[in-house]
Coordinates of all heavy atoms in Angstrom, one line a residue:
M1 N 0.8 -1.2 0.0 CA 0.0 0.0 0.0 C 0.9 1.2 0.0 O 1.8 1.4 0.8 CB -0.9 0.0 1.2 CG -1.8 1.1 1.3 SD -2.9 0.9 2.7 CE -3.5 2.5 2.9
T2 N 0.6 2.2 -0.9 CA 1.4 3.4 -0.9 C 0.8 4.4 0.0 O -0.4 4.4 0.3 CB 1.4 4.0 -2.4 OG1 0.0 4.3 -2.7 CG2 2.0 3.0 -3.4
S3 N 1.6 5.3 0.5 CA 1.1 6.4 1.4 C 0.4 7.4 0.6 O 0.7 7.7 -0.6 CB 2.3 7.0 2.1 OG 3.2 7.6 1.2
P4 N -0.6 8.1 1.2 CA -1.4 9.1 0.5 C -0.5 10.3 0.1 O 0.5 10.6 0.7 CB -2.4 9.6 1.6 CG -2.4 8.5 2.6 CD -1.1 7.8 2.6
R5 N -0.9 10.9 -1.0 CA -0.2 12.1 -1.5 C -0.8 13.3 -0.8 O -1.9 13.3 -0.5 CB -0.4 12.2 -3.0 CG 0.2 11.0 -3.8 CD -0.2 11.2 -5.2 NE 0.2 10.0 -5.9 CZ 1.3 9.9 -6.6 NH1 2.1 10.9 -6.7 NH2 1.5 8.8 -7.3
V6 N 0.1 14.3 -0.6 CA -0.3 15.5 0.1 C 0.1 16.7 -0.8 O 1.2 16.7 -1.3 CB 0.4 15.6 1.5 CG1 0.0 16.9 2.1 CG2 0.0 14.5 2.4
I7 N -0.8 17.6 -0.9 CA -0.5 18.8 -1.6 C -1.1 20.0 -0.8 O -2.1 20.0 -0.2 CB -1.2 18.8 -3.1 CG1 -0.7 20.0 -3.9 CG2 -2.7 18.8 -3.0 CD1 -1.0 20.0 -5.3
T8 N -0.2 21.0 -0.7 CA -0.6 22.3 0.0 C -0.5 23.4 -1.0 O 0.6 23.6 -1.6 CB 0.2 22.5 1.2 OG1 0.1 21.4 2.0 CG2 -0.2 23.7 1.9
L9 N -1.5 24.2 -1.2 CA -1.5 25.4 -2.1 C -1.6 26.6 -1.2 O -2.5 26.6 -0.3 CB -2.7 25.4 -3.1 CG -2.8 24.1 -4.0 CD1 -4.0 24.2 -4.8 CD2 -1.6 24.0 -4.9
T10 N -0.7 27.5 -1.3 CA -0.8 28.7 -0.5 C -0.7 29.9 -1.4 O -0.1 29.9 -2.4 CB 0.3 28.7 0.6 OG1 1.6 28.7 -0.1 CG2 0.2 27.6 1.5
G11 N -1.2 31.0 -0.9 CA -1.1 32.3 -1.5 C -1.7 33.2 -0.4 O -2.8 33.0 0.0
S12 N -0.9 34.2 -0.1 CA -1.2 35.0 1.1 C -2.6 35.6 1.0 O -2.9 36.3 0.0 CB -0.2 36.1 1.2 OG -0.5 36.9 2.3
P13 N -3.5 35.4 2.0 CA -3.4 34.5 3.1 C -4.2 33.2 2.8 O -4.9 32.7 3.7 CB -4.1 35.3 4.2 CG -5.1 36.1 3.5 CD -4.6 36.4 2.1
K14 N -4.2 32.7 1.6 CA -5.0 31.6 1.2 C -4.2 30.3 1.5 O -3.0 30.2 1.1 CB -5.3 31.7 -0.3 CG -6.1 32.9 -0.6 CD -6.3 33.0 -2.1 CE -7.0 34.3 -2.5 NZ -7.1 34.4 -3.9
V15 N -4.9 29.3 2.0 CA -4.3 28.0 2.2 C -5.3 26.9 1.9 O -6.5 26.9 2.3 CB -3.8 27.8 3.7 CG1 -3.3 26.4 3.9 CG2 -2.9 28.8 4.1
M16 N -4.8 25.9 1.1 CA -5.6 24.7 0.8 C -4.8 23.5 1.1 O -3.7 23.3 0.5 CB -6.1 24.8 -0.7 CG -7.1 23.7 -1.1 SD -7.6 23.9 -2.8 CE -8.3 25.5 -2.8
V17 N -5.2 22.6 2.0 CA -4.5 21.4 2.3 C -5.3 20.2 1.9 O -6.5 20.1 2.2 CB -4.2 21.4 3.8 CG1 -3.4 20.1 4.2 CG2 -3.4 22.6 4.3
M18 N -4.7 19.3 1.1 CA -5.4 18.1 0.6 C -4.5 16.9 0.8 O -3.3 17.0 0.6 CB -5.7 18.3 -0.8 CG -6.6 19.5 -1.1 SD -6.7 19.8 -2.9 CE -5.2 20.6 -3.2
Q19 N -5.1 15.8 1.2 CA -4.4 14.5 1.3 C -5.3 13.5 0.7 O -6.5 13.4 1.1 CB -4.1 14.2 2.8 CG -3.3 13.0 3.0 CD -3.0 12.7 4.4 OE1 -3.4 13.4 5.3 NE2 -2.2 11.7 4.7
A20 N -4.8 12.7 -0.2 CA -5.6 11.7 -0.9 C -4.7 10.6 -1.5 O -3.5 10.8 -1.6 CB -6.4 12.4 -2.0
D21 N -5.3 9.5 -1.8 CA -4.6 8.4 -2.5 C -4.1 8.8 -3.9 O -3.0 8.4 -4.3 CB -5.4 7.2 -2.6 CG -5.7 6.6 -1.2 OD1 -4.9 6.7 -0.3 OD2 -6.8 5.9 -1.1
F22 N -4.9 9.6 -4.6 CA -4.5 10.1 -5.9 C -4.8 11.5 -6.1 O -6.0 12.0 -5.8 CB -5.4 9.3 -6.9 CG -5.2 9.7 -8.3 CD1 -4.1 9.3 -9.1 CD2 -6.1 10.5 -8.9 CE1 -4.0 9.7 -10.4 CE2 -6.0 11.0 -10.2 CZ -4.9 10.6 -11.0
I23 N -3.8 12.3 -6.5 CA -4.0 13.7 -6.8 C -3.4 14.0 -8.1 O -2.3 13.7 -8.4 CB -3.4 14.6 -5.7 CG1 -4.0 14.4 -4.3 CG2 -3.5 16.1 -6.0 CD1 -3.3 15.1 -3.2
K24 N -4.2 14.6 -9.0 CA -3.7 15.0 -10.3 C -4.0 16.4 -10.6 O -5.1 16.9 -10.4 CB -4.4 14.1 -11.4 CG -4.0 14.4 -12.8 CD -4.7 13.6 -13.8 CE -4.3 14.0 -15.2 NZ -5.1 13.3 -16.2
K25 N -3.0 17.2 -11.0 CA -3.1 18.6 -11.4 C -2.9 18.7 -12.9 O -1.8 18.2 -13.4 CB -2.1 19.4 -10.6 CG -2.2 20.9 -10.8 CD -1.3 21.6 -9.9 CE -1.4 23.1 -10.1 NZ -0.5 23.9 -9.2
D26 N -3.8 19.3 -13.6 CA -3.6 19.5 -15.1 C -2.9 20.8 -15.4 O -2.6 21.6 -14.5 CB -5.0 19.4 -15.8 CG -5.9 20.5 -15.6 OD1 -5.5 21.6 -15.1 OD2 -7.1 20.4 -15.9
G27 N -2.7 21.0 -16.6 CA -1.9 22.2 -17.1 C -2.6 23.5 -16.8 O -2.0 24.6 -16.8
N28 N -3.9 23.5 -16.5 CA -4.7 24.7 -16.2 C -4.7 25.0 -14.7 O -5.3 26.0 -14.3 CB -6.1 24.6 -16.8 CG -6.1 24.6 -18.3 OD1 -5.4 25.3 -18.9 ND2 -7.0 23.7 -18.8
G29 N -4.1 24.1 -13.9 CA -4.1 24.3 -12.5 C -5.3 23.6 -11.8 O -5.4 23.7 -10.6
N30 N -6.1 22.9 -12.5 CA -7.3 22.2 -11.9 C -6.7 21.0 -11.3 O -5.8 20.3 -11.8 CB -8.3 21.9 -13.0 CG -8.8 23.1 -13.7 OD1 -9.0 24.1 -13.1 ND2 -9.1 23.0 -15.0
I31 N -7.4 20.6 -10.2 CA -6.9 19.4 -9.4 C -8.1 18.4 -9.2 O -9.2 18.8 -9.0 CB -6.4 19.9 -8.0 CG1 -5.3 20.8 -8.2 CG2 -6.1 18.7 -7.1 CD1 -4.9 21.5 -6.9
T32 N -7.7 17.1 -9.4 CA -8.7 16.0 -9.1 C -8.1 15.1 -8.1 O -6.9 14.8 -8.1 CB -8.9 15.2 -10.4 OG1 -9.5 16.1 -11.4 CG2 -9.9 14.1 -10.2
M33 N -8.9 14.7 -7.1 CA -8.5 13.9 -6.0 C -9.4 12.7 -5.8 O -10.7 12.9 -5.9 CB -8.5 14.6 -4.7 CG -7.6 15.8 -4.6 SD -7.4 16.7 -3.0 CE -8.9 16.4 -2.2
N34 N -8.9 11.5 -5.6 CA -9.6 10.3 -5.3 C -9.1 9.7 -4.0 O -7.9 9.9 -3.8 CB -9.6 9.3 -6.4 CG -10.3 9.7 -7.7 OD1 -11.1 10.6 -7.7 ND2 -10.0 9.0 -8.8
G35 N -9.9 9.1 -3.3 CA -9.4 8.5 -2.0 C -9.1 9.6 -1.0 O -8.0 9.5 -0.4
V36 N -9.9 10.6 -0.9 CA -9.7 11.7 0.0 C -9.5 11.3 1.4 O -10.4 10.6 2.0 CB -10.8 12.8 -0.2 CG1 -10.6 13.9 0.8 CG2 -10.9 13.2 -1.6
K37 N -8.4 11.7 2.1 CA -8.2 11.5 3.5 C -8.4 12.8 4.3 O -8.8 12.7 5.4 CB -6.7 11.0 3.7 CG -6.4 9.8 2.8 CD -7.1 8.6 3.2 CE -6.6 7.4 2.4 NZ -7.6 6.4 2.1
K38 N -8.1 13.9 3.7 CA -8.2 15.2 4.4 C -8.2 16.3 3.4 O -7.6 16.3 2.4 CB -6.9 15.3 5.3 CG -6.8 16.6 6.0 CD -5.5 16.7 6.8 CE -5.3 18.1 7.5 NZ -4.1 18.2 8.2
Y39 N -9.0 17.3 3.7 CA -9.0 18.5 2.9 C -9.4 19.7 3.8 O -10.3 19.5 4.7 CB -9.8 18.4 1.6 CG -11.3 18.5 1.9 CD1 -12.0 19.7 1.7 CD2 -12.0 17.4 2.3 CE1 -13.4 19.7 1.9 CE2 -13.4 17.4 2.6 CZ -14.1 18.6 2.4 OH -15.4 18.6 2.6
D40 N -8.8 20.8 3.6 CA -9.2 22.0 4.4 C -8.9 23.2 3.5 O -7.9 23.3 2.8 CB -8.3 22.1 5.6 CG -8.8 23.1 6.6 OD1 -10.0 23.6 6.5 OD2 -8.1 23.5 7.5
V41 N -9.8 24.2 3.6 CA -9.7 25.4 2.7 C -9.8 26.6 3.7 O -10.8 26.7 4.4 CB -10.8 25.4 1.7 CG1 -10.7 26.7 0.8 CG2 -10.7 24.2 0.8
K42 N -8.8 27.5 3.6 CA -8.9 28.7 4.5 C -8.5 29.9 3.6 O -7.5 29.9 2.9 CB -8.0 28.6 5.7 CG -8.4 27.6 6.6 CD -7.5 27.5 7.8 CE -8.1 26.5 8.8 NZ -7.2 25.7 9.5
G43 N -9.3 31.0 3.7 CA -9.0 32.2 3.1 C -9.4 32.3 1.6 O -9.2 33.3 1.0
W44 N -10.0 31.3 1.1 CA -10.5 31.3 -0.3 C -11.9 31.6 -0.3 O -12.8 30.8 -0.4 CB -10.2 29.9 -1.0 CG -8.8 29.6 -1.1 CD1 -8.0 29.2 -0.1 CD2 -8.0 29.6 -2.3 NE1 -6.7 28.9 -0.7 CE2 -6.7 29.2 -2.0 CE3 -8.3 29.9 -3.6 CZ2 -5.7 29.1 -2.9 CZ3 -7.3 29.8 -4.6 CH2 -6.0 29.4 -4.2
D45 N -12.3 32.9 -0.2 CA -13.7 33.3 -0.1 C -14.4 33.4 -1.4 O -15.6 33.5 -1.4 CB -13.7 34.7 0.6 CG -13.1 34.6 2.0 OD1 -13.3 33.6 2.7 OD2 -12.6 35.6 2.5
N46 N -13.7 33.4 -2.5 CA -14.4 33.6 -3.8 C -14.6 32.2 -4.5 O -14.5 32.1 -5.7 CB -13.6 34.5 -4.7 CG -12.2 34.0 -5.0 OD1 -11.6 33.2 -4.3 ND2 -11.6 34.4 -6.1
I47 N -14.8 31.2 -3.7 CA -15.0 29.8 -4.3 C -16.4 29.4 -4.2 O -17.1 29.7 -3.1 CB -14.1 28.8 -3.5 CG1 -12.6 29.1 -3.8 CG2 -14.4 27.4 -4.0 CD1 -11.7 28.1 -3.1
K48 N -17.0 28.8 -5.2 CA -18.3 28.2 -5.1 C -18.1 26.7 -4.8 O -17.2 26.1 -5.3 CB -19.0 28.4 -6.5 CG -19.5 29.8 -6.8 CD -20.4 29.8 -8.0 CE -20.9 31.2 -8.2 NZ -21.8 31.2 -9.3
Y49 N -18.9 26.2 -4.0 CA -18.9 24.8 -3.5 C -20.1 24.1 -4.1 O -21.2 24.6 -4.0 CB -18.9 24.7 -2.0 CG -17.6 25.3 -1.4 CD1 -17.5 26.6 -1.1 CD2 -16.5 24.4 -1.1 CE1 -16.4 27.1 -0.5 CE2 -15.4 25.0 -0.5 CZ -15.3 26.3 -0.2 OH -14.2 26.8 0.3
F50 N -19.8 22.9 -4.6 CA -20.9 22.0 -5.1 C -20.7 20.6 -4.5 O -19.6 20.1 -4.4 CB -20.8 21.9 -6.6 CG -21.1 23.2 -7.3 CD1 -20.0 24.1 -7.6 CD2 -22.4 23.5 -7.8 CE1 -20.3 25.3 -8.2 CE2 -22.6 24.8 -8.4 CZ -21.5 25.6 -8.6
V51 N -21.8 20.0 -4.1 CA -21.8 18.6 -3.6 C -22.8 17.9 -4.5 O -24.0 18.3 -4.5 CB -22.2 18.5 -2.1 CG1 -22.3 17.1 -1.7 CG2 -21.1 19.3 -1.3
N52 N -22.4 16.8 -5.2 CA -23.2 16.1 -6.1 C -24.0 16.9 -7.0 O -25.1 16.7 -7.3 CB -24.2 15.2 -5.3 CG -23.4 14.2 -4.4 OD1 -22.4 13.7 -4.7 ND2 -24.0 13.9 -3.2
G53 N -23.3 18.0 -7.5 CA -23.9 18.9 -8.5 C -24.7 20.0 -8.0 O -25.2 20.9 -8.8
N54 N -25.0 20.1 -6.7 CA -25.8 21.1 -6.1 C -24.9 22.1 -5.4 O -24.1 21.7 -4.6 CB -26.8 20.5 -5.2 CG -27.8 19.6 -5.8 OD1 -28.3 19.9 -6.9 ND2 -27.9 18.4 -5.3
E55 N -25.1 23.4 -5.6 CA -24.4 24.4 -4.9 C -24.7 24.4 -3.4 O -25.9 24.4 -3.1 CB -24.6 25.8 -5.5 CG -23.7 26.9 -5.0 CD -23.7 28.2 -5.7 OE1 -24.5 28.3 -6.7 OE2 -23.0 29.1 -5.3
V56 N -23.7 24.5 -2.6 CA -23.9 24.5 -1.1 C -23.0 25.5 -0.5 O -22.1 26.1 -1.2 CB -23.5 23.1 -0.5 CG1 -24.5 22.0 -1.0 CG2 -22.1 22.7 -0.7
S57 N -23.2 25.8 0.8 CA -22.3 26.8 1.5 C -20.9 26.1 1.7 O -20.8 24.9 1.7 CB -23.0 27.2 2.8 OG -22.9 26.1 3.7
K58 N -20.0 27.0 2.0 CA -18.6 26.5 2.4 C -18.7 25.6 3.6 O -18.1 24.5 3.7 CB -17.7 27.7 2.7 CG -16.3 27.3 3.1 CD -15.5 28.5 3.4 CE -14.1 28.2 3.8 NZ -13.2 29.4 4.0
E59 N -19.5 26.0 4.6 CA -19.7 25.2 5.8 C -20.2 23.8 5.6 O -19.8 22.9 6.1 CB -20.6 26.0 6.8 CG -20.0 27.3 7.4 CD -20.0 28.4 6.4 OE1 -20.8 28.4 5.4 OE2 -19.2 29.4 6.5
E60 N -21.2 23.8 4.7 CA -21.8 22.5 4.3 C -20.8 21.6 3.6 O -20.7 20.4 3.9 CB -23.0 22.6 3.4 CG -24.2 23.2 4.1 CD -25.4 23.5 3.1 OE1 -25.2 24.4 2.2 OE2 -26.4 22.9 3.2
A61 N -20.0 22.1 2.7 CA -19.0 21.4 2.0 C -17.9 20.9 2.9 O -17.5 19.7 2.8 CB -18.4 22.2 0.9
L62 N -17.4 21.7 3.8 CA -16.3 21.3 4.7 C -16.8 20.4 5.8 O -16.0 19.8 6.5 CB -15.6 22.6 5.2 CG -14.9 23.4 4.2 CD1 -14.3 24.6 4.8 CD2 -13.9 22.6 3.4
A63 N -18.1 20.3 6.0 CA -18.6 19.4 7.1 C -18.7 18.0 6.6 O -18.9 17.1 7.5 CB -20.0 19.9 7.5
I64 N -18.5 17.7 5.4 CA -18.6 16.3 4.9 C -17.3 15.6 5.3 O -16.2 16.1 5.2 CB -18.7 16.3 3.3 CG1 -19.9 17.0 2.9 CG2 -18.6 14.9 2.8 CD1 -20.0 17.2 1.4
K65 N -17.5 14.4 5.9 CA -16.4 13.6 6.4 C -15.6 13.1 5.2 O -16.3 12.6 4.2 CB -16.9 12.5 7.3 CG -17.5 13.0 8.6 CD -18.0 11.8 9.4 CE -18.6 12.3 10.7 NZ -19.1 11.3 11.5
P66 N -14.3 13.1 5.2 CA -13.5 12.6 4.1 C -13.9 11.2 3.7 O -13.8 10.8 2.5 CB -12.1 12.7 4.6 CG -12.1 13.8 5.6 CD -13.5 13.7 6.3
E67 N -14.2 10.3 4.6 CA -14.5 8.9 4.3 C -15.8 8.8 3.5 O -16.1 7.7 2.9 CB -14.6 8.0 5.6 CG -15.6 8.5 6.6 CD -15.1 9.4 7.7 OE1 -14.0 10.0 7.5 OE2 -15.8 9.5 8.7
N68 N -16.6 9.9 3.4 CA -17.8 9.9 2.6 C -17.6 10.5 1.2 O -18.6 10.6 0.4 CB -18.9 10.6 3.3 CG -19.4 9.9 4.6 OD1 -19.3 8.7 4.7 ND2 -19.8 10.7 5.6
I69 N -16.4 10.9 0.9 CA -16.1 11.6 -0.4 C -15.5 10.6 -1.4 O -14.6 9.9 -1.0 CB -15.1 12.7 -0.2 CG1 -15.8 13.8 0.7 CG2 -14.7 13.3 -1.5 CD1 -14.8 14.9 1.1
A70 N -16.1 10.5 -2.5 CA -15.6 9.7 -3.6 C -14.5 10.4 -4.4 O -13.5 9.8 -4.8 CB -16.7 9.2 -4.5
M71 N -14.8 11.7 -4.7 CA -13.9 12.5 -5.5 C -14.1 14.0 -5.3 O -15.2 14.4 -5.0 CB -14.1 12.2 -7.0 CG -13.2 12.8 -8.0 SD -13.4 12.3 -9.7 CE -15.1 12.7 -10.0
V72 N -13.0 14.7 -5.4 CA -13.0 16.2 -5.4 C -12.4 16.7 -6.6 O -11.3 16.3 -7.0 CB -12.3 16.7 -4.1 CG1 -12.2 18.2 -4.1 CG2 -12.9 16.2 -2.8
N73 N -13.0 17.7 -7.3 CA -12.4 18.4 -8.4 C -12.3 19.9 -8.0 O -13.3 20.5 -7.5 CB -13.3 18.3 -9.6 CG -13.2 17.0 -10.3 OD1 -12.1 16.4 -10.4 ND2 -14.3 16.5 -10.8
I74 N -11.1 20.4 -8.1 CA -10.9 21.8 -7.8 C -10.7 22.5 -9.1 O -9.7 22.2 -9.8 CB -9.8 22.0 -6.8 CG1 -10.1 21.3 -5.5 CG2 -9.5 23.5 -6.6 CD1 -8.9 21.1 -4.6
I75 N -11.5 23.5 -9.5 CA -11.4 24.1 -10.7 C -11.0 25.6 -10.5 O -11.6 26.3 -9.8 CB -12.8 24.1 -11.5 CG1 -13.2 22.7 -11.7 CG2 -12.7 24.9 -12.8 CD1 -14.7 22.5 -12.1
K76 N -9.8 25.9 -11.1 CA -9.2 27.2 -10.9 C -9.9 28.2 -11.8 O -10.2 27.9 -13.0 CB -7.7 27.1 -11.2 CG -6.9 28.2 -10.9 CD -5.4 27.9 -11.1 CE -4.6 29.2 -10.9 NZ -3.2 28.9 -11.2
E77 N -10.0 29.4 -11.3 CA -10.5 30.5 -12.1 C -9.7 30.8 -13.4 O -8.5 30.8 -13.3 CB -10.6 31.8 -11.3 CG -11.2 33.0 -12.0 CD -11.3 34.2 -11.1 OE1 -10.5 34.3 -10.2 OE2 -12.2 35.0 -11.4
N78 N -10.4 30.9 -14.5 CA -9.7 31.2 -15.8 C -10.6 32.3 -16.5 O -11.7 31.9 -17.0 CB -9.6 30.0 -16.6 CG -8.8 30.2 -17.9 OD1 -9.0 31.2 -18.5 ND2 -7.9 29.3 -18.2
V79 N -10.2 33.5 -16.5 CA -10.9 34.6 -17.1 C -11.2 34.3 -18.6 O -12.3 34.6 -19.1 CB -10.2 35.9 -16.9 CG1 -11.0 37.1 -17.5 CG2 -10.1 36.2 -15.4
V80 N -10.2 33.8 -19.3 CA -10.3 33.6 -20.7 C -11.4 32.5 -21.0 O -12.2 32.7 -21.9 CB -9.0 33.2 -21.3 CG1 -9.1 32.8 -22.8 CG2 -7.9 34.3 -21.2
R81 N -11.4 31.5 -20.2 CA -12.4 30.4 -20.4 C -13.7 30.7 -19.7 O -14.7 29.9 -19.9 CB -11.8 29.1 -19.9 CG -10.6 28.7 -20.6 CD -10.0 27.5 -20.0 NE -10.3 26.3 -20.8 CZ -10.1 25.1 -20.4 NH1 -9.5 24.8 -19.3 NH2 -10.4 24.1 -21.2
G82 N -13.8 31.7 -18.9 CA -15.0 32.1 -18.2 C -15.3 31.2 -17.0 O -16.5 31.1 -16.6
T83 N -14.3 30.5 -16.4 CA -14.6 29.7 -15.3 C -14.3 30.4 -14.0 O -13.4 31.3 -14.0 CB -13.7 28.4 -15.3 OG1 -12.4 28.7 -15.3 CG2 -14.1 27.5 -16.5
Q84 N -14.9 30.0 -12.9 CA -14.7 30.6 -11.6 C -14.0 29.6 -10.7 O -14.0 28.4 -11.1 CB -16.0 31.0 -11.0 CG -16.8 32.1 -11.7 CD -18.1 32.4 -11.1 OE1 -18.6 31.7 -10.2 NE2 -18.7 33.5 -11.5
N85 N -13.5 30.0 -9.6 CA -13.0 29.0 -8.6 C -14.1 28.2 -8.1 O -15.1 28.7 -7.6 CB -12.3 29.8 -7.4 CG -11.0 30.5 -7.9 OD1 -10.3 30.0 -8.7 ND2 -10.8 31.6 -7.3
E86 N -14.0 26.9 -8.2 CA -15.0 26.0 -7.8 C -14.4 24.7 -7.1 O -13.3 24.3 -7.5 CB -15.9 25.4 -8.9 CG -16.7 26.5 -9.6 CD -17.5 25.9 -10.8 OE1 -17.4 24.7 -11.0 OE2 -18.2 26.6 -11.4
I87 N -15.1 24.2 -6.1 CA -14.7 22.9 -5.5 C -16.0 22.1 -5.7 O -17.0 22.4 -5.2 CB -14.3 23.0 -4.0 CG1 -13.0 23.8 -3.9 CG2 -14.2 21.6 -3.4 CD1 -12.5 24.0 -2.5
R88 N -15.8 21.0 -6.4 CA -16.9 20.1 -6.7 C -16.6 18.7 -6.0 O -15.6 18.1 -6.3 CB -17.1 19.9 -8.2 CG -17.5 21.1 -8.9 CD -17.8 20.9 -10.4 NE -18.5 22.1 -10.9 CZ -19.8 22.2 -10.9 NH1 -20.6 21.3 -10.4 NH2 -20.4 23.3 -11.4
I89 N -17.5 18.4 -5.1 CA -17.4 17.2 -4.3 C -18.4 16.2 -4.7 O -19.6 16.5 -4.8 CB -17.5 17.5 -2.8 CG1 -16.5 18.5 -2.3 CG2 -17.5 16.2 -1.9 CD1 -16.7 19.1 -1.0
Q90 N -17.9 15.0 -5.0 CA -18.8 13.8 -5.3 C -18.8 12.9 -4.1 O -17.7 12.4 -3.8 CB -18.4 13.1 -6.6 CG -19.3 12.1 -7.1 CD -20.6 12.6 -7.6 OE1 -20.7 13.7 -8.2 NE2 -21.7 12.0 -7.2
T91 N -19.9 12.6 -3.5 CA -19.9 11.7 -2.3 C -20.1 10.3 -2.8 O -20.5 10.0 -3.9 CB -21.0 12.1 -1.3 OG1 -22.3 12.0 -2.0 CG2 -20.8 13.5 -0.8
K92 N -19.7 9.4 -1.9 CA -19.9 8.0 -2.2 C -21.4 7.7 -2.2 O -22.1 8.2 -1.4 CB -19.2 7.1 -1.2 CG -17.7 7.3 -1.3 CD -17.0 6.5 -0.2 CE -15.5 6.7 -0.3 NZ -14.8 6.0 0.8
K93 N -21.8 6.8 -3.0 CA -23.3 6.4 -3.1 C -23.6 5.4 -2.1 O -22.9 4.6 -1.7 CB -23.6 5.9 -4.5 CG -23.3 6.9 -5.6 CD -24.2 8.0 -5.6 CE -23.8 9.0 -6.7 NZ -24.4 10.3 -6.6

């Protein structure tokens, strides 16, 4: 068994800590995680949160226990493509 991967993104005063079995970052800065063990977001106030496709509050999204999460997609804002900062959480069925 391999140890979980950990990634920390910081930008004053923004911090995002993620720990998962699989973390992939694409060329646009978007991140996909499977086997989520831990995630925490602080200082990122301009993010929209979605759980199973429905927009929720930050508090609702962060209240989900990692063992109930199937996958997390973090979509970075891109003005050219018209995307906003989003965290999309898919829970286990």
Side-chain angles (χ1 to χ4, degrees):
M1 180 174 163
T2 60
S3 62
R5 298 174 187 264
V6 177
I7 186 169
T8 302
L9 303 175
T10 60
S12 181
K14 301 174 183 177
V15 177
M16 188 178 298
V17 177
M18 299 170 282
Q19 183 178 5
D21 291 332
F22 174 81
I23 299 175
K24 179 181 177 184
K25 185 174 179 181
D26 70 16
N28 295 320
N30 300 323
I31 299 169
T32 300
M33 300 184 331
N34 291 344
V36 176
K37 307 293 183 212
K38 175 182 174 183
Y39 74 100
D40 192 19
V41 179
K42 292 183 177 146
W44 295 75
D45 297 328
N46 63 337
I47 294 180
K48 288 189 176 185
Y49 293 85
F50 295 86
V51 175
N52 298 326
N54 299 310
E55 189 169 359
V56 298
S57 70
K58 177 180 181 177
E59 293 76 21
E60 290 174 294
L62 295 179
I64 299 171
K65 294 180 181 180
E67 60 266 18
N68 295 329
I69 297 174
M71 182 173 61
V72 175
N73 287 320
I74 300 168
I75 302 167
K76 188 175 175 183
E77 182 176 27
N78 185 319
V79 177
V80 175
R81 298 174 102 188
T83 59
Q84 298 178 345
N85 291 324
E86 295 180 357
I87 294 181
R88 295 186 167 267
I89 299 170
Q90 186 69 39
T91 58
K92 294 178 181 175
K93 302 292 180 195

